[in-house]
Amino acid sequence: MEVPLKPLGREDIRKLESALLVMSLFDREALEAMRDPSARLTWIDSLYTAAAALARERAGISISKIAEELGVTEATIRRHLKGETKAGQLVSRAYEKLAKEGLKVEFDCTKQLEELRAKIEEVKKALSEILARL
């Protein structure tokens, strides 16, 4: 999927904001912050707003129009676009990465994989002990 860095229409804006949102959601810092279930929805909402604001800003839409479309204040949009929010910083970083590398979402499951391997070894050991008793 080609993602336009300078959207020319609504379809391009939708593609850019979707790419920015996905890339930001899988950022290591965002994933770590979203481990807390009570903050998860706030993070997702903030990342969506920041991604949507940046995509619209790159399309040349005014701050007031962006705020109206997203249902937030102009001050909120400015804070995200200036990187004064963590969500704005993560989305801005995603945009820079998108510009350099294209759409790329990385999953780091190394820790979870090691934990699963350890559990499999425990189960194998327990099964061997049970079989030895039979």
Side-chain angles (χ1 to χ4, degrees), residues 124-134:
K124 280 183 180 178
K125 183 178 175 184
L127 185 59
S128 292
E129 290 172 4
I130 291 170
L131 289 174
R133 290 184 197 159
L134 297 178

Side-chain angles (χ1 to χ4, degrees), residues 3-46:
V3 180
L5 296 174
K6 179 104 174 112
L8 298 175
R10 292 290 171 192
E11 181 66 21
D12 286 353
I13 290 171
R14 189 190 60 75
K15 285 180 182 177
L16 181 56
E17 77 181 19
S18 296
L20 293 173
L21 179 59
V22 169
M23 291 175 73
S24 299
L25 282 172
F26 287 99
D27 182 281
R28 186 178 304 262
E29 283 184 58
L31 288 172
E32 188 63 35
M34 288 188 287
R35 283 181 179 245
D36 177 5
S38 66
R40 197 168 293 149
L41 191 56
T42 300
W43 264 100
I44 292 170
D45 183 59
S46 292

Side-chain angles (χ1 to χ4, degrees), residues 5 20 23 54 58 89-102:
L5 296 174
L20 293 173
M23 291 175 73
L54 183 58
R58 297 293 180 204
Q89 292 169 10
L90 292 174
V91 168
S92 179
R93 189 165 62 202
Y95 182 83
E96 290 170 15
K97 191 173 181 179
L98 182 63
K100 286 182 185 173
E101 303 170 14

